[in-house]
Amino acid sequence: MKRTVIALATAALALGLAPATQAQSSVDHRQEGTVWMPRLTEITRHEVLPGNQVRVHYWTGDPACYGAHAVLVETPWAVHVRVITGPRLGGADVCTMIALEKSQVLQLSAPLGDRPLHV
């Protein structure tokens, strides 16, 4: 069934039909399910928060169908963050083509300080 959804979405894009999108306000999320066909997703913005935390914002699909998780790598010289998204294993059989802005709060082991944040 998931292959059918992907095939239909691909066909719609090939015909020049834009998927219906609905912008929703950003809400903090934790990791959302295991994904197959993972891909790097653009981080659209980030915020440095108190308490050694960083919030990253990104766009993804319906959480019933798409999963996301952030990968954080810290060194004494820099902090690197990547967001991985993809179709969820065991996700819904029928998915809406909706775009959702989501965010995740990541806990750093030390204050960001002068270290550059690479997103």
Side-chain angles (χ1 to χ4, degrees):
M1 184 61 143
K2 289 182 184 179
R3 289 183 183 153
T4 303
V5 171
I6 293 170
L8 290 173
T10 303
L13 291 173
L15 293 172
L17 303 174
T21 60
Q22 175 182 345
Q24 294 190 0
S25 61
S26 179
V27 177
D28 288 335
H29 293 281
R30 292 199 167 107
Q31 291 188 11
E32 299 176 328
T34 304
V35 301
W36 60 283
M37 294 176 30
R39 67 179 187 92
L40 286 175
T41 298
E42 178 184 1
I43 295 172
T44 56
R45 61 190 168 102
H46 66 277
E47 306 165 62
V48 178
L49 303 174
N52 302 347
Q53 295 180 330
V54 174
R55 177 182 289 126
V56 293
H57 298 262
Y58 55 93
W59 288 90
T60 187
D62 183 345
C65 302
Y66 295 93
H69 68 275
V71 178
L72 172 68
V73 176
E74 289 187 71
T75 70
W77 306 278
V79 175
H80 300 268
V81 179
R82 299 290 184 263
V83 173
I84 309 295
T85 61
R88 284 175 46 132
L89 287 174
D93 289 335
V94 178
C95 302
T96 59
M97 293 183 75
I98 185 172
L100 300 170
E101 182 186 36
K102 295 190 178 182
S103 64
Q104 289 187 28
V105 174
L106 307 171
Q107 183 68 45
L108 303 176
S109 62
L112 183 62
D114 292 333
R115 297 183 293 174
L117 178 64
H118 299 282
V119 295

